[in-house]
Amino acid sequence: MKRLHKHLIVAAVLVAGFGVALGSYLLLAPDDRGSKGLDVQPAADALPVRKSSHRLTTPDRSELTIVEFLDFECESCGAYYPVVEKLREEYGDRVTFVARYFPMPGHRNGELAARTAEAAARQGKFEEMYDKLFTTQKEWGESQEWKQDVFRGYAKQLGLDMGKFDAALADPEVAGRVQDDQRDGLALGVQGTPTFFVDSEKISNPASYEAFKALIAARLDD
């Protein structure tokens, strides 16, 4: 069973490359609502990771930092999700894993999903919502319907204060927090999702779990 799971992860990552290429196209091309790219400007002082960035692991002594610019509606990000989770399990005591928002304009609910995660973060539940959005992606992703009610349902399942959640979801500061990540991403050359940085260096997406693990192991051995 473990071997089957491993092969499924590898297969998912191998097809993810197509999704990244498609994501890059969606970033630069008009979507079906007439949008022409992200409505933000590149940051003048861009950084791959900031103090405010969401860390999925916080080792006492971090030896490496891996940053992912992601879109919760992106199928490629969904394919990499179990890979990142497995790597977190193996290296979470040595590597800092960071998630940053980069919703693509071609996705109807990508930006809303990012605000949903940030609204959950305001109540200390970022990682729980991060997991929820990816594990349920097939239920709401690639839809032209507005999924706010679905996301509110997830918030209720996570036990969030719904009054505070709704207020945060509508708060311009929450939308601005998402755009701050987008601005950094644009300035750093992010064109599609997922895009990974390893210790501030943008890398080509590893083609498999084994390749990603080998990259991490090599960096840790340096």
Side-chain angles (χ1 to χ4, degrees):
M1 194 57 128
K2 289 184 178 179
R3 181 176 298 177
L4 175 60
H5 179 68
K6 176 180 176 182
H7 289 327
L8 288 173
I9 289 177
V10 172
V13 175
L14 287 175
V15 301
F18 170 76
V20 173
L22 177 61
S24 181
Y25 167 78
L26 291 172
L27 176 67
L28 301 173
D31 66 11
D32 59 21
R33 301 182 309 284
S35 172
K36 296 184 178 180
L38 296 174
D39 188 24
V40 297
Q41 297 299 315
D45 58 343
L47 294 171
V49 59
R50 295 183 181 274
K51 289 183 178 180
S52 61
S53 298
H54 294 299
R55 290 158 175 78
L56 299 171
T57 56
T58 54
D60 292 335
R61 180 177 175 273
S62 181
E63 302 174 51
L64 195 69
T65 298
I66 296 178
V67 179
E68 178 184 3
F69 282 85
L70 59 86
D71 177 345
F72 288 108
E73 193 170 359
C74 164
E75 291 182 334
S76 296
C77 296
Y80 271 95
Y81 168 74
V83 174
V84 172
E85 289 301 288
K86 189 170 178 60
L87 293 171
R88 283 177 59 195
E89 290 178 10
E90 295 189 47
Y91 295 105
D93 60 338
R94 302 179 66 187
V95 177
T96 299
F97 288 86
V98 180
R100 302 200 67 182
Y101 307 117
F102 201 82
M104 303 294 290
H107 288 150
R108 179 71 173 89
N109 290 284
E111 192 273 343
L112 176 61
R115 283 192 286 119
T116 295
E118 186 59 25
R122 298 295 173 97
Q123 297 187 48
K125 296 282 188 176
F126 171 80
E127 186 172 347
E128 289 84 351
M129 187 61 79
Y130 164 93
D131 290 334
K132 191 71 173 178
L133 290 168
F134 274 132
T135 56
T136 63
Q137 186 192 72
K138 291 183 179 179
E139 300 172 15
W140 60 267
E142 300 301 326
S143 173
Q144 292 307 306
E145 298 178 0
W146 192 240
K147 295 296 183 178
Q148 184 166 331
D149 287 344
V150 173
F151 296 159
R152 289 188 80 253
Y154 296 161
K156 290 179 181 178
Q157 292 173 23
L158 295 178
L160 299 183
D161 180 311
M162 295 308 297
K164 292 180 179 179
F165 175 80
D166 289 338
L169 201 61
D171 188 342
E173 289 188 5
V174 168
R177 173 67 180 74
V178 173
Q179 292 173 355
D180 286 344
D181 278 9
Q182 290 177 305
R183 277 190 276 269
D184 273 348
L186 286 173
L188 293 167
V190 175
Q191 293 186 320
T193 54
T195 294
F196 293 95
F197 288 78
V198 177
D199 274 354
S200 301
E201 175 189 348
K202 187 170 73 169
I203 64 169
S204 297
N205 289 349
S208 68
Y209 157 75
E210 285 81 3
F212 214 147
K213 180 177 180 178
L215 183 154
I216 293 173
R219 296 294 183 98
L220 290 175
D221 288 341
D222 283 347

